[in-house]
Amino acid sequence: MTMPRIHLLTKKEDIIPEKLTHHTVIVIDTLLATTTMAMLLEHGARSVVPVQRKEEALTAANNAHLIIAGEQLGFDTEGMKRPDPYQLINEGVQDKEIVLLSTNGTVALKQSQKGKYIYAVSPFTVQAAANIVSEKHSHESMIIVCSGNHGRFSLEDFITAGHFLSVFLENKNNASWELSDGSIAAYSLYQHTPLNEVRNMYATSETASFLHRYGYHPIWDSFTQGIHYPFVPQLIHGKILKKHVTI
């Protein structure tokens, strides 16, 4: 019997959609798209619609029931709100649908749509994601997509992938899963790095430093505080929705 396998991609540009068809796909954009999605859903948003292009987002701009937020290469985009989750939450997202554009995470999600099941994972949802894969998808191989940084490696995504794998492999029922070299590296990094150093790596990553310079709230300070949402954001028919999970 073939054992299920965990593959890891370090950037969205490595996605081959046709190879995702029979896999569970874990998409990670720690700073910032998948974290933003989780926070918006936690604070009452009805759904989040990821888009790849500015034009897609702006076609919905006249709909009063939608919030349009986005960035391109990290910079604010005309006609859209800044996708700082704290700012959006403070302005009110209860029962709203948010259209979200990002350089990496929303593109990775759109390119992963051929996956059998697609989850948008962040440090706040690693526990829920690990649980749902263990309970519902234990016979399908998994692909972890680190969205990366505009075609380059992203430290914060790799750390979050390692955190997810650490939680997932704590379950003795998952001991038989085979890991690719990339998965082994992410798992080993997280397992052998003290929590205070994990915190430091998040805070000093290239993306965190960029966001800090441009006035984003320091969401990375919360990543190692043991916050676990009781749901995982799931991409269903083009929308990110809450999938409740026991944690």
Side-chain angles (χ1 to χ4, degrees):
M1 179 180 177
T2 303
M3 292 296 116
R5 185 172 174 82
I6 303 175
H7 306 267
L8 185 144
L9 307 180
T10 59
K11 58 186 188 297
K12 67 184 184 300
E13 289 76 10
D14 292 336
I15 297 171
I16 302 174
E18 292 71 23
K19 291 190 175 182
L20 305 181
T21 308
H22 303 293
H23 293 73
T24 298
V25 183
I26 302 293
V27 177
I28 298 171
D29 183 16
T30 308
L31 293 173
L32 192 59
T34 57
T35 298
T36 298
M37 292 170 182
M39 292 181 67
L40 296 177
L41 292 173
E42 172 68 4
H43 286 82
R46 188 168 70 250
S47 63
V48 181
V49 180
V51 296
Q52 291 191 81
R53 292 178 292 276
K54 178 180 177 180
E55 294 73 22
E56 290 179 78
L58 292 179
T59 55
N62 293 325
N63 188 328
H65 298 289
L66 297 178
I67 295 173
I68 316 296
E71 53 81 11
Q72 293 179 298
L73 299 178
F75 297 103
D76 294 348
T77 303
E78 185 178 357
M80 303 183 195
K81 294 181 181 292
R82 171 178 281 201
D84 182 326
Y86 288 104
Q87 181 176 319
L88 293 171
I89 290 163
N90 287 338
E91 293 176 4
V93 297
Q94 184 70 38
D95 296 323
K96 296 283 189 178
E97 184 166 271
I98 293 89
V99 177
L100 183 64
L101 170 70
S102 74
T103 304
N104 301 299
T106 61
V107 177
L109 282 161
K110 293 287 282 187
Q111 293 179 352
S112 297
Q113 288 187 107
K114 288 186 179 292
K116 190 170 183 179
Y117 303 96
I118 308 106
Y119 298 104
V121 175
S122 71
F124 300 143
T125 58
V126 290
Q127 183 72 62
N131 287 5
I132 198 166
V133 174
S134 298
E135 294 169 8
K136 304 290 186 182
H137 315 309
S138 60
H139 301 296
E140 288 119 12
S141 287
M142 181 183 357
I143 297 179
I144 300 172
V145 177
C146 296
S147 298
N149 188 356
H150 196 50
R152 293 177 289 115
F153 175 83
S154 169
L155 177 60
E156 67 275 7
D157 290 349
F158 201 66
I159 297 168
T160 301
H163 187 184
F164 166 78
L165 286 165
S166 294
V167 175
F168 183 75
L169 294 171
E170 280 177 2
N171 186 331
K172 293 180 180 178
N173 293 329
N174 298 328
S176 62
W177 284 65
E178 296 179 354
L179 274 63
S180 68
D181 286 352
S183 299
I184 292 170
Y187 174 73
S188 297
L189 173 66
Y190 191 83
Q191 282 284 299
H192 295 102
T193 304
L195 190 61
N196 66 322
E197 184 56 27
V198 169
R199 183 181 300 113
N200 184 59
M201 286 194 291
Y202 274 131
T204 59
S205 67
E206 181 181 345
T207 309
S209 299
F210 176 90
L211 294 175
H212 179 71
R213 286 198 305 274
Y214 284 91
Y216 277 74
H217 290 76
I219 179 62
W220 45 89
D221 288 345
S222 302
F223 289 163
T224 55
Q225 293 179 1
I227 299 170
H228 297 295
Y229 296 160
F231 65 87
V232 60
Q234 182 175 6
L235 183 65
I236 302 174
H237 303 307
K239 294 184 179 184
I240 296 289
L241 303 169
K242 268 186 180 181
K243 179 71 173 180
H244 288 280
V245 184
T246 301
I247 62 173

